[in-house]
Amino acid sequence: MELKHRSQTMNTFLFLLMGCIDVEKEDSGEQQISDPISVSVRILDAMGGELPEGILLTSSLEEQTLDASAEGSILVPGESQFRINVDAVGYVTHELVAMSGKDDTSLVTLLASESISLQMYGMLNLEAKPEKGTLVVALDYPDLSPAVGATADIDSSHDGAFVLGAMGPSFSNVVPSSAGFVSFSNVEPGTTTISVTPPEGKKCWFYDAGGQSATVSVTAGHATVVFFMCDD
């Protein structure tokens, strides 16, 4: 497999700079670096509009510029929490955060323009503070339908959790049928822990290979999107 061949020459670089998870061998004490994986990323405009060409994806391993389809793949460290920055002209920088395993995976995300983000805050009678960040907790089923009834909480200060319904945004931390995410406004930058309560009879986990909660870093002025998956 091409990715595995490439990883052989990248191991030293990854160990020094990228902070991949090391796995110690029980008997010899030698360390082994996990191979990188490929993440297929699909970007959609949050309001169903046209996205600009030249969307830039950046991970800790490489950069990729997307064509007009707004779809592409990028390498990230395997078996670790990873972050992919999404930059587009006129749009808030989005940081996609997930947990990789050993296999390639995929992410689908909405991209909100700067004007739409300000409108959302305004409809909630909130002022968007540039020194704070927005945290979005995506909660979907494998078919990407919303995990209706799931709730999300964080342990850092913020100005309220909200969801997007048919009539616009409203304060709530419970996933509605209209959109599979809970957003947190004006979140204090730095580390925060996300706790998710699944819908009754279901389970949710930090996508793709994490546990029931996740500790992530929020960046001022950016939208940090953290992916959870739910299922039976």
Side-chain angles (χ1 to χ4, degrees):
M1 183 176 178
E2 183 181 352
L3 292 180
K4 292 187 177 180
H5 288 226
R6 291 177 63 180
S7 68
Q8 187 174 1
T9 59
M10 294 172 67
N11 282 349
T12 301
F13 180 69
L14 291 173
F15 177 74
L16 294 175
L17 298 181
M18 301 306 171
C20 289
I21 293 177
D22 294 340
V23 179
E24 294 188 4
K25 296 181 179 179
E26 293 182 1
D27 297 329
S28 64
E30 295 178 4
Q31 292 182 332
Q32 180 179 349
I33 306 300
S34 298
D35 290 340
I37 67 161
S38 178
V39 180
S40 175
V41 180
R42 182 184 179 197
I43 309 294
L44 302 172
D45 181 83
M47 303 305 293
E50 293 289 331
L51 289 166
E53 292 191 26
I55 296 175
L56 180 65
L57 302 182
T58 307
S59 74
S60 61
L61 299 184
E62 63 175 354
E63 292 183 353
Q64 295 287 347
T65 301
L66 303 184
D67 59 19
S69 70
E71 296 183 39
S73 296
I74 189 167
L75 291 176
V76 303
E79 296 187 276
S80 65
Q81 184 180 129
F82 66 87
R83 185 175 297 255
I84 300 171
N85 279 20
V86 182
D87 289 288
V89 176
Y91 287 75
V92 177
T93 295
H94 286 55
E95 301 184 11
L96 314 182
V97 182
M99 182 73 183
S100 62
K102 295 181 179 180
D103 299 323
D104 295 344
T105 190
S106 62
L107 296 174
V108 178
T109 191
L110 300 177
L111 203 63
S113 67
E114 294 173 356
S115 60
I116 289 298
S117 297
L118 290 174
Q119 287 180 34
M120 292 292 180
Y121 269 72
M123 292 173 73
L124 293 165
N125 292 318
L126 293 173
E127 178 186 355
K129 301 174 182 176
E131 72 276 13
K132 306 290 186 177
T134 300
L135 175 63
V136 181
V137 181
L139 287 151
D140 294 306
Y141 291 118
D143 64 358
L144 299 184
S145 62
V148 178
T151 65
D153 295 283
I154 61 175
D155 66 357
S156 57
S157 64
H158 57 89
D159 286 346
F162 65 93
V163 296
L164 187 60
M167 303 302 293
S170 60
F171 286 109
S172 175
N173 70 335
V174 183
V175 174
S177 60
S178 51
F181 55 87
V182 175
S183 300
F184 295 85
S185 58
N186 290 326
V187 180
E188 186 69 27
T191 301
T192 189
T193 297
I194 302 166
S195 301
V196 167
T197 302
E200 185 176 356
K202 307 292 184 179
K203 59 182 179 180
C204 298
W205 64 94
F206 183 29
Y207 184 77
D208 176 36
Q212 294 181 335
S213 63
T215 299
V216 303
S217 181
V218 175
T219 304
H222 290 187
T224 302
V225 185
V226 184
F227 293 84
F228 281 79
M229 186 64 68
C230 302
D231 208 350
D232 296 331

